[in-house]
Amino acid sequence: LLSDEQIIRQVLKGDYEGYRELVQRHQGAIYCLAYRMLNRAEEAEDVVQEAFVRAYSNLSKFRDRARFAAWIRRIAVNLCLARLPREIPSEDVESMLDAGMSRDDLVQAEVILRMERGRVREAIAKLPADYRTAITLRYEEDMPYDKIADLLHEPVSRIQVRMHRAKKMLAQRLAVMLEDAV
Amino acid sequence: MQCKEVRDKLSRYADGEFGGRAAADIKHHLNECQACRSAAESLIALQSIVSDSLKERIPYPDLSSAVMSQLSAPKRSALKPTWAWAAAAAVLATVVILAYQWPTTSPPQAPARVVHMPPIQRQLAAKQHNARRQESAAAQSIHRKAAPPIVTRMASPAHKHFQQREAAKTERRTASVDNHLRISIDVVSVASANSDSGLRVVTTVESGGVLLTQVHQQEITKQEEPLSNAEEIERPPLEEGRGRFLSRPSSSGPVPNT
């Protein structure tokens, strides 16, 4: 199995069909990322196609070829951000900061929520776009705060605050969901 | 470290954002403070649930063909002008080469060239021609297989009847310049009841199976018998497989004009 770097080298030498292998290798991760951020299948498909077409156009300029996965993800995130409306959280964030779930609640919730991942994803999908993006990049893509800040062109301090508030909001919504479930 | 300071940093701590001394200080506080430890465990549990739910892959469509189709379009369009210019240059070069290597070509519907001679000179010329023709009959028969070696242009308006004649024989020569460009030359011999005859030459230039240009040439001719009021023109045979004409030693020169 050829590495991404080897495939890119072949594509740049003229093996145009080799790029199909790269697309097939990474399209699943990019689609999931785009779908989580945008909540729409059609838009996620558009982002996947646009991201790979853009990457192909700039392939000769891409130097760090071993990190194609990170590069295509960065392109996709930027495309998603351009499509996201700049939502303002409708809920009173400050009041939610004190509405976190207790430890016992969460231990109980963990068992239930692990069986209902679809509902957790639903709760994440209903977060404001900025929060959803931060949560997705951190927990789906495993990106540290400084990388998220770099990707979103924002200071790390703002990402820290956003992550904190996003978790609180999510905890509150999961608590409500659990109450309904119980 | 105070509880408020720890709580402010707890989200980042749970996400592994602190290292070294800062992480050690928070960890030390959590070991001593039950409330903060409970809050940290809650956060870690939440993050674990979120991470697990997000890591679960969702079904996705195979978009590789859609992507590849978008890549090929700009590539093809980028190459198109180059190919078009190359094809145009090849056609132009071919036409120029053919024009130079085919000395008897004439534009369609062009009137035949006529040489007027006094009757006594014509008789003399005919005798000289017949003598030469008998000497070179064997050599000429070889070239007749490729194309009629000697044609005589008529002064009469017989070319007006050219299209009414039936094709008696067609010969085709084909040459391929490269994998795409293909040149075919069809030589159609025609004959009619009144012994007039002619040649129609169709030069076809194709690229990748697409017709680029086609040049039609026709000549009104009459076989050697009888030679009168005419000028001999020698037509070299086609070279097999290359689609161009070879020069060959003259076996029967032009009829002297005196």
Side-chain angles (χ1 to χ4, degrees):
Chain A
L1 187 69
L2 294 177
S3 68
D4 289 355
E5 191 175 4
Q6 289 170 318
I7 293 175
I8 291 171
R9 206 174 293 134
Q10 288 188 351
V11 170
L12 290 174
K13 282 180 183 173
D15 179 16
Y16 156 75
E17 271 298 317
Y19 195 69
R20 187 186 295 274
E21 169 64 24
L22 271 185
V23 176
Q24 288 173 338
R25 192 176 288 184
H26 297 286
Q27 63 178 347
I30 299 302
Y31 179 85
C32 288
L33 170 65
Y35 183 82
R36 303 259 194 251
M37 287 181 69
L38 300 171
N39 281 332
R40 291 189 184 89
E42 295 83 5
E43 285 207 64
E45 289 180 19
D46 289 347
V47 164
V48 171
Q49 293 182 49
E50 197 174 342
F52 280 105
V53 170
R54 281 197 186 190
Y56 182 83
S57 305
N58 294 289
L59 208 55
S60 59
K61 303 174 201 163
F62 178 51
R63 299 290 167 222
D64 194 4
R65 292 170 187 166
R67 290 179 50 78
F68 180 80
W71 184 49
I72 190 74
R73 185 174 59 195
R74 176 180 287 259
I75 294 172
V77 168
N78 283 328
L79 290 171
C80 288
L81 289 174
R83 288 167 178 260
L84 281 174
R86 306 306 293 175
E87 292 175 19
I88 299 169
S90 56
E91 300 177 47
D92 183 356
V93 174
E94 290 305 318
S95 66
M96 287 191 304
L97 291 176
D98 300 322
M101 298 167 73
S102 71
R103 178 175 178 271
D104 290 341
D105 285 342
L106 270 169
V107 169
Q108 183 190 2
E110 192 171 353
V111 178
I112 299 171
L113 291 172
R114 283 189 190 285
M115 292 188 294
E116 300 206 35
R117 288 174 179 168
R119 297 191 70 178
V120 175
R121 286 197 293 271
E122 191 181 324
I124 295 168
K126 286 180 178 173
L127 289 173
D130 285 353
Y131 290 6
R132 190 170 67 237
T133 298
I135 290 285
T136 302
L137 292 177
R138 177 66 190 88
Y139 297 115
E140 185 180 355
E141 302 297 321
D142 290 325
M143 293 176 77
Y145 286 14
D146 59 338
K147 296 285 182 192
I148 297 172
D150 184 41
L151 193 59
L152 302 182
H153 307 292
E154 293 186 50
V156 177
S157 58
R158 196 178 296 169
I159 301 301
Q160 291 170 359
V161 173
R162 190 174 301 160
M163 285 296 295
H164 182 64
R165 291 177 176 177
K167 288 178 198 175
K168 289 285 184 183
M169 186 183 285
L170 195 56
Q172 186 192 42
R173 291 185 176 181
L174 290 176
V176 172
M177 199 177 78
L178 278 171
E179 279 176 16
D180 293 344
V182 175
Chain B
M1 213 172 187
Q2 300 298 311
C3 285
K4 186 174 185 314
E5 188 183 357
V6 170
R7 294 288 178 99
D8 286 344
K9 295 179 177 175
L10 213 50
S11 176
R12 282 180 282 165
Y13 172 78
D15 278 332
E17 289 288 312
F18 291 114
R21 181 65 187 268
D25 287 348
I26 294 170
K27 191 174 182 180
H28 178 73
H29 179 87
L30 294 179
N31 285 335
E32 293 181 346
C33 177
Q34 172 66 34
C36 288
R37 187 165 65 248
S38 177
E41 288 172 349
S42 296
L43 268 174
I44 291 168
L46 174 72
Q47 289 168 190
S48 174
I49 293 167
V50 170
S51 184
D52 282 355
S53 68
L54 290 179
K55 289 281 171 56
E56 197 171 80
R57 287 282 176 238
I58 51 178
Y60 59 89
D62 182 4
L63 298 168
S64 58
S65 294
V67 171
M68 296 304 286
S69 69
Q70 293 177 62
L71 302 186
S72 58
K75 282 181 73 132
R76 273 202 296 268
S77 64
L79 290 174
K80 215 170 186 176
T82 309
W83 166 241
W85 280 111
V91 170
L92 183 62
T94 305
V95 170
V96 170
I97 290 167
L98 287 174
Y100 272 99
Q101 293 189 340
W102 196 327
T104 61
T105 54
S106 57
Q109 306 303 324
R113 189 153 56 96
V114 179
V115 179
H116 294 284
M117 290 186 289
I120 189 150
Q121 287 182 339
R122 265 186 271 151
Q123 290 174 10
L124 180 61
K127 285 181 181 176
Q128 289 174 343
H129 170 74
N130 287 335
R132 281 200 305 274
R133 189 166 60 84
Q134 287 172 2
E135 291 170 1
S136 60
Q140 287 182 16
S141 66
I142 296 170
H143 299 295
R144 282 175 203 273
K145 291 177 181 175
I150 299 172
V151 294
T152 307
R153 293 182 179 176
M154 298 296 294
S156 69
H159 64 278
K160 292 180 181 176
H161 307 292
F162 187 87
Q163 293 178 350
Q164 298 172 359
R165 296 173 180 142
E166 293 180 357
K169 185 182 178 186
T170 301
E171 290 190 36
R172 164 165 280 212
R173 297 287 185 273
T174 301
S176 293
V177 176
D178 58 23
N179 290 334
H180 296 280
L181 200 62
R182 187 167 172 271
I183 304 165
S184 303
I185 300 175
D186 291 317
V187 180
V188 184
S189 304
V190 294
S192 68
N194 63 1
S195 80
D196 287 347
S197 60
L199 286 179
R200 179 188 293 125
V201 181
V202 182
T203 306
T204 306
V205 182
E206 298 169 303
S207 173
V210 178
L211 177 66
L212 293 178
T213 185
Q214 199 169 51
V215 180
H216 291 260
Q217 296 163 307
Q218 63 184 41
E219 293 184 10
I220 308 306
T221 64
K222 188 171 184 177
Q223 298 301 328
E224 296 84 349
E225 297 295 340
L227 179 66
S228 63
N229 195 23
E231 173 189 45
E232 285 186 6
I233 300 170
E234 185 176 0
R235 179 186 301 283
L238 287 167
E239 183 188 18
E240 187 74 42
R242 289 194 183 174
R244 68 181 189 82
F245 290 97
L246 288 174
S247 60
R248 65 180 175 87
S250 175
S251 59
S252 56
V255 176
N257 203 14
T258 54

